C-alpha cells in the first residue's frame, strides 16, 4: 500500500512538472521521473528505456529478450509466444492465464529466459510486475506436509506478480500434484478442510469453527502457471495425468548449447551490465521478485540475488 501511495505521489509530481515548458524539456523531465521510479522499485527495471512505440505491445519483444539470452532463439520465441497467448485468445479469471512447461537440460537458460521475458513485459506495461513467485515442490515429499503445502500454494498464488513457477515436481507428493492439476484443468482445487486467511494473509485451518469468510477452494487467481523440468511432456503426463497435459497451453524446450558457445544465461546479463557500467547482476532462478512464501518456509524467495549457478 505504501508503494502505491508513493507511486501516486510521484505521478502527480510528474504531471505538475510536465505542465508548461517545451517538448524537449517535457520529455527530459518525464524520462527522469521514470528513472527515479525505477530506482525506487516502483517500476520494472528497463521501463525508462522502452520506446513509446513498444509500450503495451509485444512487437519486438522476442528480439529484445534475445539481446541478453544468447543461443536459444527458438526457445525465446516460444516463451514469448506462450506469454502472448492469453492476450490473443483471452482468459476469464480466476482461471490460469496460461499453463506452460519449460523443459531442457540444466545450463541452457530456461530460468533466465523467463526472468528476462517477465522483466521486458513489465517494462512495456504488459505485466503489472516482473516478480516471480516460486515453489520448490521437492520440499513437500509426503502427505504430512499438506497444510504447509496449501499455505505456501495460497501465498504464491496471492503474491505480487502474475507468474507462479513450480520446480522439481518429480519429487513432490502425488496428492499435491493432483491439486495443481485441478488448478490447471478445472480452474480451482477443493481443500480437504475449511481454512481461514488471517491478518497476515496466511491460510490457517479453521477446524470446526463456523467463522465467516472460510476458504474451501483455491484458484489460480488469473496467473501464469509455469512448470520447470529437465523432461518433456511425456514425463509430465506420468505424474500429473493426461488431462493436465491437455491443459498445457505451451511446451517450450531449450536446445543443447554448442561447444564453444554461451555456457550460461548469466553471461549475456553480465555483458549488458558491463556495457552500462554497472556491476554484473547475480540472480538465482527466481528472477527479481519478492518472497512468495509465508512463515519463513518452503516457497523460495523470488528476489534474485542468489548464486549464479542456480540461474539455469
Amino acid at each position: 500500500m505504501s508503494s502505491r501511495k508513493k507511486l501516486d505521489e510521484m505521478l502527480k509530481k510528474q504531471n505538475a512538472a510536465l505542465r508548461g515548458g517545451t517538448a524537449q524539456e517535457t520529455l527530459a523531465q518525464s524520462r527522469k521521473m521514470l528513472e527515479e521510479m525505477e530506482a525506487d522499485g516502483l517500476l520494472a527495471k528497463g521501463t525508462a528505456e522502452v520506446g513509446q512505440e513498444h509500450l503495451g505491445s509485444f512487437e519486438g519483444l522476442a528480439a529484445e529478450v534475445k539481446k541478453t539470452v544468447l543461443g536459444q532463439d527458438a526457445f525465446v520465441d516460444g516463451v514469448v509466444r506462450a506469454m502472448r497467448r492469453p492476450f490473443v485468445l483471452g482468459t476469464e479469471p480466476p482461471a490460469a492465464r496460461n499453463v506452460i512447461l519449460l523443459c531442457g537440460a540444466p545450463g541452457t537458460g530456461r530460468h533466465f529466459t523467463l526472468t528476462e521475458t517477465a522483466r521486458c513485459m513489465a517494462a512495456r506495461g504488459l505485466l503489472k510486475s516482473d516478480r516471480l513467485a516460486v515453489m520448490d515442490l521437492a520440499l513437500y515429499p509426503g502427505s504430512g506436509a499438506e497444510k504447509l503445502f496449501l499455505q505456501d500454494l495460497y501465498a504464491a498464488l496471492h503474491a505480487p506478480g502474475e507468474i507462479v513457477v513450480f520446480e522439481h515436481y518429480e519429487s513432490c507428493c502425488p496428492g499435491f500434484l493432483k491439486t495443481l492439476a485441478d488448478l490447471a484443468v478445472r480452474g480451482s482445487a477443493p481443500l480437504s478442510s475449511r481454512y481461514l486467511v488471517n491478518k497476515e494473509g496466511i491460510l490457517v485451518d479453521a477446524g470446526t469453527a463456523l467463522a465467516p469468510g472460510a476458504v474451501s477452494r483455491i484458484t489460480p487467481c488469473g496467473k501464469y502457471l509455469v512448470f520447470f523440468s529437465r523432461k518433456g511432456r511425456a514425463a509430465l503426463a506420468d505424474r500429473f495425468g493426461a488431462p493436465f497435459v491437455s491443459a498445457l497451453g505451451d511446451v517450450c524446450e531449450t536446445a543443447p548449447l554448442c561447444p564453444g558457445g554461451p555456457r550460461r544465461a548469466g553471461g549475456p546479463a553480465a555483458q549488458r551490465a558491463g556495457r552500462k557500467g554497472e556491476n554484473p547482476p547475480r540472480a538465482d532462478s527466481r528472477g527479481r521478485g519478492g518472497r512468495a512464501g509465508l512463515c519463513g518456509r518452503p516457497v523460495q524467495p523470488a528476489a534474485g540475488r542468489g548464486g549464479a549457478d542456480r540461474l539455469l
Side-chain angles (χ1 to χ4, degrees):
M1 186 63 68
S2 59
S3 296
R4 185 184 296 273
K5 290 182 179 180
K6 187 174 182 180
L7 178 59
D8 290 340
E9 291 174 359
M10 296 190 74
L11 289 174
K12 290 179 181 178
K13 180 180 178 181
Q14 181 188 37
N15 291 333
L18 294 180
R19 294 192 185 98
T22 65
Q24 190 173 14
E25 290 174 344
T26 298
L27 288 174
Q29 292 172 351
S30 178
R31 184 163 297 279
K32 182 179 179 181
M33 188 67 68
L34 288 174
E35 291 173 349
E36 291 176 355
M37 292 180 180
E38 185 180 317
D40 290 340
L42 299 176
L43 295 176
K45 184 170 176 146
T47 301
E49 302 170 8
V50 176
Q52 186 77 22
E53 69 279 6
H54 287 148
L55 291 175
S57 171
F58 277 88
E59 183 179 356
L61 177 61
E64 184 178 353
V65 175
K66 290 173 187 177
K67 292 179 181 178
T68 54
V69 179
L70 305 182
Q72 293 290 354
D73 288 1
F75 181 71
V76 170
D77 290 338
V79 173
V80 171
R81 183 166 53 250
M83 301 300 287
R84 184 179 183 182
R85 188 174 301 279
F87 286 83
V88 177
L89 300 180
T91 57
E92 295 184 6
R97 191 172 298 185
N98 196 5
V99 184
I100 306 167
L101 171 63
L102 302 184
C103 56
T108 52
R110 296 169 299 161
H111 296 83
F112 187 67
T113 299
L114 180 62
T115 300
E116 284 295 280
T117 301
R119 179 186 65 79
C120 293
M121 288 181 66
R124 290 167 174 244
L126 296 168
L127 293 176
K128 296 178 182 178
S129 170
D130 61 348
R131 294 182 177 182
L132 309 179
V134 181
M135 285 191 70
D136 184 352
L137 298 178
L139 298 174
Y140 316 95
S143 59
E146 180 181 12
K147 291 183 180 180
L148 187 61
F149 168 77
L150 292 176
Q151 283 182 338
D152 291 327
L153 177 59
Y154 184 88
L157 293 171
H158 288 80
E162 298 165 76
I163 302 173
V164 182
V165 172
F166 301 96
E167 301 205 64
H168 308 126
Y169 72 81
E170 300 89 347
S171 303
C172 185
C173 173
F176 304 157
L177 297 184
K178 175 64 167 58
T179 299
L180 299 179
D182 285 342
L183 290 178
V185 177
R186 305 177 186 277
S188 67
L191 300 178
S192 58
S193 61
R194 299 170 67 254
Y195 286 83
L196 294 172
V197 181
N198 65 16
K199 294 181 180 180
E200 289 75 29
I202 301 174
L203 199 67
V204 295
D205 194 344
T208 58
L210 298 177
V215 178
S216 60
R217 305 184 71 86
I218 290 181
T219 70
C221 300
K223 299 194 176 186
Y224 291 93
L225 305 183
V226 183
F227 293 80
F228 278 91
S229 178
R230 300 183 183 186
K231 303 177 181 179
R233 191 190 302 261
L236 203 70
D238 291 339
R239 297 303 305 272
F240 287 92
F244 176 85
V245 175
S246 299
L248 285 175
D250 292 88
V251 177
C252 308
E253 183 173 2
T254 55
L257 295 179
C258 299
R263 295 306 301 274
R264 64 173 55 191
Q271 295 170 9
R272 179 181 51 140
R275 288 195 298 269
K276 295 181 179 180
E278 304 172 352
N279 292 326
R282 297 174 62 232
D284 65 8
S285 63
R286 278 77 183 164
R288 301 189 304 108
R291 181 177 179 82
L294 296 173
C295 310
R297 291 194 302 249
V299 179
Q300 299 300 317
R305 291 295 182 269
D309 291 338
R310 297 291 303 280
L311 182 65
L312 307 177

